[in-house]
């Protein structure tokens, strides 16, 4: 289980981080906080990266765990490539047969948004963890 924050690039990263902290309790065994960054909303890439870094720093300091960055491949290539490489990456890249086409380490790969799960009427996202159960447990909040 875990929580993510959908990042609004034109809003203050500090205020977004404080809102996340106010509303999200995290306990042992949870996934680290996830920052979902998918749109610039007219901000330039440098402005977006500054506010992302503010959010990441505040959230990491508060929870004492490194957040995960979630984004899709095209957004990553155009706005984040070469930045935040020391953060775990959850990359959405659909219709690939074996792994996402990305030239950096990734932790999770969202490979489909059309999955079916018994008991859930609508389609769901399908994700893959890049590792085994031991490495999965090592990323969870201690």
């Amino acid at each position: 289980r875990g929580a993510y924050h959908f990042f609004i690039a034109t809003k203050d990263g500090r205020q977004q981080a404080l809102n996340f902290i106010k509303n999200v309790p995290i306990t042992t065994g949870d996934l680290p906080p996830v920052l979902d960054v998918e749109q610039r909303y007219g901000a330039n890439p440098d402005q977006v990266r500054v506010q992302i870094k503010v959010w990441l720093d505040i959230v990491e300091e508060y929870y004492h765990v490194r957040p995960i960055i979630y984004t899709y491949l095209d957004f990553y290539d155009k706005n984040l490539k070469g930045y935040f490489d020391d953060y775990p990456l959850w990359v959405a890249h659909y219709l690939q047969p074996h792994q996402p086409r990305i030239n950096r380490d990734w932790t999770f790969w969202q490979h489909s948004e059309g999955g079916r799960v018994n008991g859930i009427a609508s389609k769901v996202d399908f994700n893959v963890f890049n590792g085994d159960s031991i490495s999965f447990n090592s990323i969870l909040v201690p």
Side-chain angles (χ1 to χ4, degrees), residues 19-120:
N19 183 62
F20 183 85
I21 289 166
K22 177 182 172 186
N23 290 288
V24 179
I26 291 185
T27 61
T28 299
D30 287 348
L31 285 170
V34 178
L35 182 63
D36 181 340
V37 186
E38 301 183 42
Q39 298 179 38
R40 291 194 346 232
Y41 299 99
N44 72 49
D46 289 332
Q47 293 168 323
V48 173
R49 289 188 293 265
V50 166
Q51 295 307 316
I52 288 171
K53 182 66 172 141
V54 168
W55 191 95
L56 292 169
D57 287 347
I58 291 170
V59 168
E60 183 172 358
E61 182 177 332
Y62 182 81
Y63 292 110
H64 306 290
V65 63
R66 180 145 285 198
I68 297 170
I69 297 173
Y70 170 91
T71 193
Y72 64 95
L73 185 65
D74 189 53
F75 187 89
Y76 173 83
D77 283 343
K78 291 178 180 175
N79 301 285
L80 304 178
K81 187 174 184 176
Y83 299 88
F84 311 111
D85 288 345
D86 52 341
Y87 286 85
L89 180 66
W90 192 330
V91 62
H93 193 207
Y94 302 149
L95 307 175
Q96 299 304 304
H98 305 291
Q99 66 181 38
R101 286 188 316 235
I102 192 165
N103 293 322
R104 70 155 278 188
D105 291 337
W106 52 273
T107 304
F108 291 97
W109 167 34
Q110 186 175 97
H111 61 87
S112 173
E113 61 185 350
R116 293 286 185 188
V117 175
N118 289 340
I120 301 175

